[in-house]
Amino acid sequence: MNTSTRMNKSKLGTVARRGVTLAAVSAAGLALSATAANAATPTATSASTWDALAQCESGGNWSTNTGNGFSGGLQFTASTWAAFGGTGSPADATREQQIAVAENVQASQGWGAWPACAAKLGLSGGGGAPAPSTPVAPAPTEVPVQAAQAPVQAASAAVAPAQAPVQAEPRHAAEVPLSGETYTVEAGDTLSIIAEKLNITGGWQTLADANADTIVDPDLVFEGQVLQLPA
């Protein structure tokens, strides 16, 4: 082999090695770019974590329904399942559907939604995101029922207005000098009988005037009543 031939082979080997090196560098660059892209994109909880949680909650049985109010691999209550996007029964949903709803629950309530098993598996944190809202028909607006009120009416003209009690006309008694003597009314006495019996001048009127402080009605005296006699 001459010198020229050896030099050409050496150059070809060097170029080949450089090509391999460049290819390796390019591959490493692509790998680094892919890693950086993956690191920049947040991912959901890994499926293996949900499998481990389901194993703790239900023995890994995604279709379990024991009738205790909890069902599915992650033991959802019916209200939680519906509130976070589930339809039908958790036990009838696929593993992937249950995990999708569980992601919503964990984002809103954190791992505390599965307190015992989350603590056992060392899962903590999360929560704070609002639960996905399911449109709910608004409750009909209720108009408060008010008791019917009867209209206030003026007093009927047919109803007689209240009247003040009828009072006897005041009797203007004349001042009568008293004799200082008294008379006790007996059964059957009237002022007329007494005035006639005692010969009182002016009759029963004078006797009534002499006792104006105690006699309200001259037609009414009582047995045992003491009367002042005029002079």
Side-chain angles (χ1 to χ4, degrees):
M1 183 181 294
N2 58 32
T3 304
S4 175
T5 301
R6 287 198 299 271
M7 289 179 64
N8 289 335
K9 288 184 176 180
S10 176
K11 288 180 180 179
L12 290 172
T14 302
V15 171
R17 286 195 298 273
R18 285 179 179 176
V20 171
T21 303
L22 289 173
V25 171
S26 298
L30 290 173
L32 288 173
S33 299
T35 301
N38 289 337
T41 304
T43 59
T45 303
S46 65
S48 60
T49 300
W50 293 117
D51 286 332
L53 187 61
Q55 184 65 37
C56 176
E57 288 286 343
S58 63
N61 185 355
W62 292 91
S63 60
T64 184
N65 186 357
T66 59
N68 62 351
F70 298 87
S71 61
L74 298 171
Q75 294 292 277
F76 294 98
T77 62
S79 59
T80 299
W81 174 257
F84 288 88
T87 57
S89 169
D92 296 332
T94 65
R95 167 181 172 275
E96 290 72 21
Q97 289 171 334
Q98 293 183 47
I99 290 176
V101 174
E103 293 278 5
N104 292 335
V105 175
Q106 195 275 336
S108 178
Q109 300 181 1
W111 291 110
W114 300 271
C117 286
K120 182 178 179 180
L121 297 174
L123 302 173
S124 62
S133 58
T134 301
V136 179
T141 304
E142 295 183 359
V143 178
V145 179
Q146 297 180 346
Q149 297 180 351
V152 178
Q153 297 179 346
S156 173
V159 179
Q163 297 179 349
V166 178
Q167 296 180 349
E169 294 183 3
R171 180 166 53 86
H172 300 287
E175 292 187 6
V176 176
L178 303 179
S179 65
E181 298 179 358
T182 61
Y183 175 82
T184 301
V185 178
E186 299 175 352
D189 276 345
T190 63
L191 290 184
S192 298
I193 293 174
I194 296 170
E196 184 178 351
K197 186 189 324 184
L198 300 179
N199 296 318
I200 294 175
T201 302
W204 66 268
Q205 293 89 342
T206 302
L207 182 59
D209 291 339
N211 295 275
D213 294 338
T214 58
I215 295 178
V216 177
D217 183 357
D219 294 329
L220 184 62
V221 291
F222 304 95
E223 182 180 358
Q225 184 177 1
V226 177
L227 301 178
Q228 299 292 330
L229 299 179

